[in-house]
């Protein structure tokens, strides 16, 4: 069921316009009839770049949801919610920030791109740097299998995979982890399995020790 779950959010940075409808909402309307759909108002995400702006959150949130409903988003077939009303988003974001290297966040393409585009704003904050990590928390909480994003945020989804792998390696290993990992490798098929084992072999010869190999895989 999780593979058929869609998660998508919209930042609360101003009034909706036709661009929102054609770029996002029309897609949501189609998705809600095919998948287990979760659509949310990303009000915390808005503060990553607009933290200093005076925003009437309550009024803007209500107006945004009204616009969604008017466009055809059906609360009977979709789950609609406000990000800040689910405190687990912030809690998981905090936990993920404990294990995610700063270098991972600094090399996300949108980090420098947005700083260049928004020169008028002071974006030298962790909130802005950690924006993709908050997005990772959004995705992982609902175990969404499908996350429609723009081209500029594809890297955020890739980051989410790496963040989850690192977090699970540190905290989530179960007693049968190694056996299950070996089974997963076998299921990859002979060609992919050979490529994977060859990669591990090259890395091991390069790093020299199992400890350094693990560090390389998690860096």
């Amino acid at each position: 069921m999780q593979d058929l779950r869609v998660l998508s959010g919209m930042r609360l940075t101003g009034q909706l316009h036709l661009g929102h409808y054609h770029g996002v909402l029309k897609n949501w309307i189609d998705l809600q009839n095919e998948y287990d759909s979760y659509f949310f108002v990303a009000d915390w995400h808005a503060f990553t770049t607009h933290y200093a702006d005076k925003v009437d959150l309550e009024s803007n949130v209500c107006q945004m949801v009204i616009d969604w409903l008017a466009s055809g988003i059906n609360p009977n077939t979709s789950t609609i919610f406000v990000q800040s009303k689910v405190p687990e988003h912030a809690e998981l974001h905090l936990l993920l920030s404990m294990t995610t290297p700063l270098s991972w966040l600094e090399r996300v393409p949108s980090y420098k791109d947005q700083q260049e585009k928004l020169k008028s704003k002071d974006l030298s904050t962790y909130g802005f740097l950690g924006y993709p990590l908050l997005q990772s928390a959004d995705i992982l909480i609902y175990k969404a299998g499908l996350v429609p994003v723009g081209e500029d945020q594809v890297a955020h989804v890739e980051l989410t995979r790496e963040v989850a792998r690192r977090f699970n390696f540190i905290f989530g290993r179960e007693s049968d982890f190694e056996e299950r990992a070996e089974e997963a490798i076998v299921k990859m098929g002979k060609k992919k399995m050979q490529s994977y084992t060859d990669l591990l072999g090259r890395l091991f010869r390069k790093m020299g020790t199992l400890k350094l190999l693990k560090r390389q895989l998690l860096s």
Side-chain angles (χ1 to χ4, degrees), residues 43-82:
D43 52 346
W44 274 336
H45 281 293
F47 284 115
T48 61
T49 53
H50 292 68
Y51 62 88
D53 298 345
K54 294 182 178 179
V55 180
D56 185 350
L57 272 182
E58 185 174 357
S59 176
N60 286 359
V61 166
C62 290
Q63 188 57 55
M64 175 175 280
V65 174
I66 289 171
D67 289 341
W68 289 3
L69 299 176
S71 70
I73 301 301
N74 187 349
N76 294 319
T77 58
S78 306
T79 299
I80 301 173
F81 64 96
V82 179

Side-chain angles (χ1 to χ4, degrees), residues 19-62:
H20 291 99
Y21 177 73
H22 290 288
V24 180
L25 291 173
K26 283 181 67 175
N27 189 36
W28 285 9
I29 293 168
D30 293 335
L31 291 172
Q32 69 181 347
N33 297 317
E34 299 181 40
Y35 301 98
D36 179 23
S37 301
Y38 285 68
F39 304 132
F40 69 98
V41 178
D43 52 346
W44 274 336
H45 281 293
F47 284 115
T48 61
T49 53
H50 292 68
Y51 62 88
D53 298 345
K54 294 182 178 179
V55 180
D56 185 350
L57 272 182
E58 185 174 357
S59 176
N60 286 359
V61 166
C62 290

Side-chain angles (χ1 to χ4, degrees), residues 172-183:
R173 295 186 62 174
E174 300 176 354
S175 57
D176 60 344
F177 171 81
E178 293 185 3
E179 290 80 3
R180 291 169 61 186
E182 291 176 359
E183 291 176 3

Side-chain angles (χ1 to χ4, degrees), residues 151-164:
E151 185 177 349
D152 62 325
Q153 294 198 352
V154 171
H156 296 189
V157 178
E158 294 298 328
L159 174 69
T160 298
R161 293 192 180 98
E162 297 305 315
V163 166

Side-chain angles (χ1 to χ4, degrees), residues 5-21:
R5 179 173 297 157
V6 171
L7 176 78
S8 190
M10 189 178 291
R11 282 175 23 118
L12 189 69
T13 55
Q15 292 185 338
L16 300 192
H17 47 71
L18 285 176
H20 291 99
Y21 177 73

